Amino acid sequence: MTTVQERSPMPQEREPNPALTDPSRPIGFGRVQRKEDPRFVRGKGRYLDDVVLPGMLHGAVLRSPMAHARLVSIDTTEALAHPKVHAVITGKDLEGLNLAWAPTLSADVQAVLATDKVRFQGQEVAFVVAEDRYSARDALELIDVEYEELPVVIDARRALDPGAAVIRDDKEGQTDNHIFDWEAGDKAETDAVFARADVVVRQEVVYPRVHPAPMETCGAIADYDPIDGKLTLYETTQAPHAHRTLYAMVAGIPEHKIRVIAGDIGGGFGNKVGIYPGYVCAIVGSIVTGKPVKWVEDRSENLMSTSFARDYIMKGEVAATRDGKILAVRTHVLADHGAFNATAQPTKYPAGFFSIFTGSYDLEAAHCSVTGVYTNKAPGGVAYACSFRVTEAVYLVERMVDVLAQELEMDPAELRLANFIRPEQFPYKNKTGWEYDSGDYEPALRMCMEQIGYADLRREQAEKRARGELMGIGVSFFTETVGAGPRKHMDIVGLGMNDGAEVRVHPTGKAVVRISVQTQGQGHETTFAQIVGEELGIPTEDIEVVHGDTDQTPFGLGTYGSRSTPVSGGAVALAARKVREKAKAIAAAMLETRPEDLEWEKGRFYVKGDPSAAKTISEIALGAHGTVELPEGVDGNLDAEVTYDPPNLTFPFGAYICVVDVDPGTGKVKVRRFVAVDDCGTRINPMIVEGQIHGGLADGVGMALMEFIGFDEQGNCLGGSFMDYLIPTAMEVPDWETGYTVTPSPHHPIGAKGIGESATVGSPPAVVNAVVDALAPFGVTHLDMPCTPARVWAAMQGRPTPPI
Amino acid sequence: MQVTMTVNGTEVTRDVEPRLLLVHFLRETLGLTGTHWGCDTSNCGTCVVLVDGEPVKSCTALAAMTDGHEVRTVEGLAQGAAGGGTLDPVQQGFMEEHGLQCGFCTPGMMLTARALLDREPDPDEATIREAISGQICRCTGYATIVRSIQWAAAHPAAAPTEQEVVA
């Protein structure tokens, strides 16, 4: 008996995929509008506070008004008696669950709710769960806490004084406020170069405490199901998978019973990397009450308690020849980590990537040492688009190069041009052990100078100086260090810094991409679709990007340190290429030829020498899922998954020039122009690239001129609201001017280097250098950020720098 | 207490606590979550809505204060069918010129832009910057927001357009 196998009709005689020739359906790299925008412009984003679950309760955190005090007693009786209050949780309650302290991302512990002492103003003391957010706040007022005030340590310079109060007496054997000492580079070699140098300049440079302050504050909704033991946690997180693993390790809930969902995130900038006490409290609140519990911090809580950034006191030194050859740099840094060491950085790097402070210059030697200390301030340190402290490194070296230029009476742009690492030196190994992947610095700086009209500006400045007008031109050139990172060097609490991606092409040729990184505004839903489209020839609009849900995406460490494109982008490109290889085998079977006889052009395979014998990717997809006789070893789908371990970091770079005018009567700085020339390697979506740069430039102007988290002598936070923590509005920033060069990364699958933090890293020194340049006639050689009118005016009078 | 107001063209009446902020009335009582909240001090403007056509920070107004007034939120910008419809030129402009990234400040920015263009159809850059100066954006550096509003001014009767393609 003969069986006739019925075959469904195959699309063998079809026209070429019309999508390939349809300009309204763009494929791959280029400027396209974002896929996420239609919901955002209609107010249909789904941010954390928009999520409402049935029966949901609301949490609020009681915080310490004092910076350092012993907890004598907490009386929650009245709060519990409030008719709408369901629970009040204190540190004592958490002790019973072994949750009063939680591990940080830096091998320290942090109090979830205080049990013994409070160690910074705004620290979490108690958690109220009530029926609505207003009642929860009301009940906070009903909790009676007795504190016994202790001496505070606010100035990091005094933290190691013999008589300083010991903040972390909870740590066994801790008798002072010292956290770590760390160094990089060759000290003896560096000292020897300094000893024989013609010129040595020194300057203490402070990168003050600032805050990422995304427009959406941090929050969580915990929904614990006691029947199946599953915790669903909605969070404002940049790293959903890492959070899930940490909760499993800390809370004892099995990892497969935890689902972390990060919906739309209203900006992150590093503020949403860590796990905050409020998240843990929401989980406990849900377990205790049996209902979903939402906790969303207010702005003051965000500024006073969640991850700050910077707070580095850097003693910079540069050795050079009299004719302007920079020989070596060295520095000692005092790093203020606040009351708990909770910085989020790779384990082996307690000062992040600060040792990249050799910048863009070819040096003979370099050495840095960093001492970390505890103070009575909020924990954090690695945040605000800092690329793991490259911000501090770039600010130091770019400020110091200007100090040297002033000393040598050389033009700061010319001094930089004379000392750049040359293109033929790449890959370039610097003196602290980093291998820069690729770079071509001089064309970028020359383009920037050309675009802004550097020579004309210097002439204008000379004329204005003659008239007593204050105009400054600030140059900065940065090399970024992003895409962490290779697992042999980099992990966070033991988790290798890799990311997974999965590409599935559906039978009809549409695709879904699942990624482990999380967008907070960077446009992942668009750019990751473009990467897949570029590799497979599928229109962007036909590719759905899934992210922000640990039940639906492969494991990976998340979005921070500009690592999405360098790491996850690599994973996506390689997964798409695996799909393409598979498609090739299937196409060969469909065309009855050998894979090696096929050529690829975007979107289809054709037989070498016979372009009419071709199969488009959608035809192949249908074949893969259909009844095509598959080659041996090929299964019936068009899917692939890759976890990408980058071989090295990527090193974007850029040249920035800023022009400022200073009002001689008030000291007010006006940023007149800002030209940014960036090189991030391959540009996936130029519109998004430019948007990322613009945002970072505004950050730079903000930090240079306005943003500051200060403290008074009692440890009261002076930057705890947007009335005090000043962020630039449209009035304080100019219309940005941008340019670009393209130097692809040689080791990245698509040559992309990442762009998210370049401008935040590179722009502050350009602005400060411009301000100092404007004040040069007064003999000013340095001014610490923020360059407020009071500080600028004091500098003009030769007076000491006021607090802000 | 009872409040009655017109929200996006529809009259609503609700019993509310006298202390209820307008932003929470819109978000939680009416479920219009397109209006966001971003600070405690009336500085960030994330919560801006239009009350009788004027931009108002809804975190600084009580629901009771808008009793008898007309409120317009981002959900009321597009014309026509709920959840879609024809976009306002301002909405289209923000998509064309990349005037948004995380999208959190965007509803407030767009409503201020709408009020500005209703008053002054062809504003210059300085006027646009001043109009949005009570609002903070952390993502865009403002230049693309300015361009978005200029796009809307140049396309007063914009209909949804095809995606712009520049390879």
Side-chain angles (χ1 to χ4, degrees):
Chain A
M1 186 177 155
T2 313
T3 352
V4 179
Q5 196 177 359
E6 262 198 18
R7 284 180 173 271
S8 56
M10 290 300 299
Q12 283 169 358
E13 303 297 326
R14 272 172 47 172
E15 293 296 305
N17 186 348
L20 294 175
T21 53
D22 181 354
S24 73
R25 284 165 48 78
I27 299 173
F29 301 162
R31 186 192 202 275
V32 291
Q33 279 179 26
R34 301 195 321 163
K35 288 159 75 81
E36 34 280 89
D37 287 354
R39 67 174 185 272
F40 288 147
V41 299
R42 289 175 172 86
K44 297 291 180 192
R46 195 167 158 85
Y47 302 92
L48 181 107
D49 203 14
D50 302 342
V51 176
V52 177
L53 301 180
M56 188 174 77
L57 301 174
H58 293 260
V61 173
L62 180 71
R63 295 177 181 277
S64 166
M66 299 192 186
H68 199 195
R70 197 161 300 286
L71 270 183
V72 179
S73 65
I74 305 180
D75 184 352
T76 61
T77 321
E78 256 194 272
L80 277 166
H82 188 290
K84 291 189 173 175
V85 167
H86 286 237
V88 179
I89 298 160
T90 66
K92 286 272 174 272
D93 302 322
L94 293 185
E95 269 179 340
L97 301 165
N98 205 22
L99 282 175
W101 293 81
T104 69
L105 297 175
S106 287
D108 195 357
V109 289
Q110 173 172 358
V112 175
L113 292 174
T115 52
D116 53 343
K117 295 201 301 189
V118 289
R119 293 173 170 85
F120 68 92
Q121 188 188 47
Q123 188 180 334
E124 298 79 2
V125 173
F127 187 71
V128 167
V129 182
E131 280 171 28
D132 59 76
R133 71 175 81 226
Y134 285 43
S135 303
R137 291 284 167 147
D138 289 342
L140 294 183
E141 305 289 323
L142 303 175
I143 300 173
D144 193 15
V145 185
E146 193 183 334
Y147 297 97
E148 179 189 313
E149 222 170 322
L150 295 169
V152 296
V153 179
I154 293 303
D155 184 352
R157 296 177 179 89
R158 312 297 303 275
L160 299 178
D161 285 359
V166 178
I167 297 166
R168 295 300 304 281
D169 46 358
D170 58 292
K171 289 176 77 179
E172 208 177 310
Q174 181 86 34
T175 56
D176 58 17
N177 295 315
H178 181 264
I179 309 177
F180 66 85
D181 287 307
W182 181 83
E183 64 178 327
D186 188 321
K187 184 171 190 314
E189 189 181 72
T190 307
D191 290 349
V193 174
F194 269 84
R196 66 173 162 80
D198 302 341
V199 181
V200 173
V201 291
R202 297 185 173 85
Q203 179 63 52
E204 182 182 278
V205 174
V206 177
Y207 209 134
R209 181 172 279 236
V210 290
H211 198 282
M215 295 317 297
E216 178 202 38
T217 59
C218 302
I221 302 167
D223 185 10
Y224 183 73
D225 182 337
I227 296 163
D228 64 9
K230 181 142 187 171
L231 171 68
T232 304
L233 187 64
Y234 299 80
E235 264 194 341
T236 52
T237 177
Q238 301 176 216
H241 286 279
H243 277 208
R244 183 189 61 185
T245 304
L246 290 168
Y247 286 123
M249 288 171 168
V250 174
I253 302 171
E255 196 167 8
H256 67 298
K257 293 288 188 183
I258 303 174
R259 178 184 183 189
V260 176
I261 299 173
D264 288 322
I265 306 284
F269 317 110
N271 191 213
K272 293 168 179 169
V273 174
I275 291 177
Y276 296 120
Y279 303 169
V280 181
C281 288
I283 296 170
V284 174
S286 181
I287 292 173
V288 167
T289 61
K291 296 188 170 179
V293 172
K294 177 189 277 187
W295 168 74
V296 179
E297 64 185 4
D298 65 27
R299 179 57 62 188
S300 293
E301 295 179 281
N302 176 252
L303 289 168
M304 290 172 69
S305 74
T306 61
S307 185
F308 75 93
R310 327 286 193 255
D311 221 343
Y312 260 34
I313 301 168
M314 306 178 277
K315 289 189 188 323
E317 294 179 278
V318 180
T321 62
R322 181 56 61 188
D323 61 357
K325 169 71 190 139
I326 304 173
L327 302 173
V329 290
R330 73 184 169 194
T331 185
H332 176 71
V333 177
L334 187 58
D336 185 340
H337 282 231
F340 306 100
N341 187 19
T343 59
Q345 80 253 303
T347 306
K348 287 185 206 163
Y349 303 83
F353 300 163
F354 178 78
S355 65
I356 198 79
F357 81 116
T358 55
S360 312
Y361 311 107
D362 182 24
L363 307 180
E364 291 179 16
H367 179 258
C368 66
S369 58
V370 181
T371 299
V373 296
Y374 290 120
T375 59
N376 288 118
K377 302 179 192 169
V382 168
Y384 203 169
C386 76
S387 301
F388 297 119
R389 307 270 192 199
V390 182
T391 36
E392 288 92 325
V394 163
Y395 181 62
L396 176 67
V397 66
E398 288 307 289
R399 192 73 273 289
M400 291 309 298
V401 168
D402 259 39
V403 171
L404 177 67
Q406 222 168 339
E407 170 70 22
L408 298 177
E409 296 180 349
M410 279 184 73
D411 181 274
E414 294 302 327
L415 179 59
R416 285 172 171 84
L417 287 166
N419 285 282
F420 279 151
I421 301 163
R422 297 181 307 281
E424 66 275 14
Q425 289 177 286
F426 291 92
Y428 176 82
K429 188 127 189 199
N430 88 334
K431 293 295 177 183
T432 51
W434 301 95
E435 189 178 294
Y436 296 32
D437 59 348
S438 63
D440 193 357
Y441 296 163
E442 184 174 335
L445 181 51
R446 295 246 182 243
M447 178 186 287
C448 192
M449 293 168 73
E450 176 84 10
Q451 199 169 333
I452 205 160
Y454 189 74
D456 289 345
L457 284 169
R458 286 289 176 204
R459 274 191 290 277
E460 181 193 342
Q461 182 185 39
E463 287 164 20
K464 286 196 162 158
R465 275 189 182 162
R467 297 199 297 267
E469 292 174 41
L470 305 179
M471 166 187 168
I473 304 158
V475 180
S476 126
F477 195 97
F478 67 92
T479 298
E480 255 273 56
T481 310
V482 302
R487 60 192 293 153
K488 63 176 186 271
H489 299 305
M490 290 170 195
D491 69 273
I492 289 185
V493 293
L495 300 171
M497 297 190 74
N498 295 169
D499 280 273
E502 182 194 291
V503 174
R504 291 187 196 172
V505 183
H506 302 313
T508 58
K510 318 289 184 190
V512 62
V513 190
R514 298 172 188 278
I515 55 174
S516 55
V517 291
Q518 170 63 36
T519 182
Q520 311 118 41
Q522 299 93 333
H524 289 13
E525 291 167 31
T526 310
T527 46
F528 282 89
Q530 291 185 267
I531 294 172
V532 171
E534 183 76 17
E535 297 294 335
L536 294 178
I538 299 173
T540 306
E541 66 175 280
D542 290 348
I543 303 168
E544 192 74 7
V545 176
V546 176
H547 62 100
D549 182 342
T550 55
D551 272 7
Q552 292 197 54
T553 55
F555 185 86
L557 279 214
T559 297
Y560 42 85
S562 295
R563 61 188 302 284
S564 285
T565 300
V567 187
S568 194
V572 167
L574 292 181
R577 282 176 199 171
K578 271 174 97 168
V579 165
R580 201 167 70 202
E581 277 310 297
K582 192 168 185 173
K584 189 178 193 179
I586 296 167
M590 293 169 79
L591 292 163
E592 295 176 350
T593 183
R594 297 176 309 168
E596 52 269 37
D597 292 332
L598 294 180
E599 286 284 355
W600 170 256
E601 66 175 8
K602 204 187 268 187
R604 65 175 203 156
F605 282 104
Y606 65 90
V607 178
K608 282 177 191 165
D610 182 10
S612 66
K615 290 292 171 196
T616 66
I617 199 79
S618 23
E619 290 165 344
I620 299 165
L622 196 52
H625 294 89
T627 55
V628 166
E629 200 170 321
L630 295 167
E632 194 160 325
V634 176
D635 47 7
N637 63 47
L638 208 48
D639 306 345
E641 190 167 351
V642 164
T643 295
Y644 183 60
D645 181 25
N648 188 9
L649 301 174
T650 56
F651 296 77
F653 58 91
Y656 291 173
I657 299 178
C658 175
V659 183
V660 301
D661 297 301
V662 177
D663 183 332
T666 63
K668 187 170 192 295
V669 177
K670 171 89 186 158
V671 178
R672 188 205 308 176
R673 286 184 68 195
F674 201 113
V675 174
V677 173
D678 273 272
D679 191 321
C680 62
T682 304
R683 293 152 61 89
I684 298 162
N685 185 329
M687 178 188 84
I688 288 178
V689 168
E690 184 157 311
Q692 294 291 298
I693 294 165
H694 283 195
L697 297 176
D699 292 345
V701 170
M703 286 181 280
L705 302 182
M706 307 161 73
E707 298 181 34
F708 183 54
I709 300 277
F711 293 84
D712 70 10
E713 288 173 359
Q714 284 77 46
N716 294 305
C717 179
L718 304 177
S721 81
F722 278 168
M723 287 193 292
D724 305 300
Y725 188 76
L726 303 181
I727 291 171
T729 71
M731 303 297 280
E732 283 83 35
V733 297
D735 189 18
W736 313 109
E737 301 165 70
T738 56
Y740 67 94
T741 59
V742 177
T743 311
S745 168
H747 64 75
H748 189 268
I750 58 169
K753 289 186 166 186
I755 190 62
E757 300 169 323
S758 281
T760 315
V761 165
S763 57
V767 182
V768 175
N769 287 345
V771 174
V772 173
D773 184 49
L775 301 181
F778 298 91
V780 174
T781 56
H782 177 69
L783 195 59
D784 276 326
M785 298 187 282
C787 302
T788 58
R791 282 185 170 185
V792 170
W793 196 82
M796 288 160 57
Q797 319 306 314
R799 293 186 188 163
T801 303
I804 43 175
Chain B
M1 66 179 293
Q2 197 175 69
V3 294
T4 299
M5 67 186 83
T6 306
V7 178
N8 298 330
T10 305
E11 189 177 281
V12 295
T13 300
R14 294 288 189 280
D15 277 317
V16 300
E17 276 193 71
R19 64 174 174 171
L20 184 70
L21 295 172
L22 178 60
V23 63
H24 291 140
F25 176 76
L26 294 170
R27 289 181 51 80
E28 295 177 6
T29 310
L30 301 184
L32 295 171
T33 56
T35 302
H36 301 141
W37 169 92
C39 75
D40 318 317
T41 49
S42 206
N43 291 95
C44 79
T46 290
C47 61
V48 163
V49 298
L50 302 186
V51 177
D52 301 336
E54 287 297 320
V56 164
K57 288 176 176 172
S58 64
C59 77
T60 318
L62 298 169
M65 293 160 69
T66 45
D67 183 54
H69 292 269
E70 282 196 25
V71 177
R72 191 175 182 194
T73 71
V74 65
E75 289 90 346
L77 264 181
Q79 303 298 313
T86 306
L87 294 181
D88 187 280
V90 169
Q91 292 171 304
Q92 192 67 40
F94 271 69
M95 298 211 299
E96 298 283 347
E97 296 294 339
H98 194 30
L100 71 157
Q101 290 181 29
C102 82
F104 204 73
C105 75
T106 312
M109 289 286 184
M110 292 192 305
L111 286 162
T112 300
R114 181 73 268 149
L116 169 69
L117 296 177
D118 285 348
R119 192 175 67 240
E120 202 171 331
D122 189 20
D124 61 16
E125 183 185 334
T127 306
I128 293 172
R129 284 182 181 268
E130 191 170 351
I132 60 170
S133 65
Q135 288 161 261
I136 298 172
C137 171
R138 274 306 238 178
C139 296
T140 64
Y142 303 104
T144 55
I145 294 180
V146 173
R147 291 175 203 166
S148 300
I149 298 170
Q150 287 170 330
W151 190 98
H155 301 80
T161 61
E162 297 299 330
Q163 289 227 331
E164 184 182 351
V165 191
V166 181

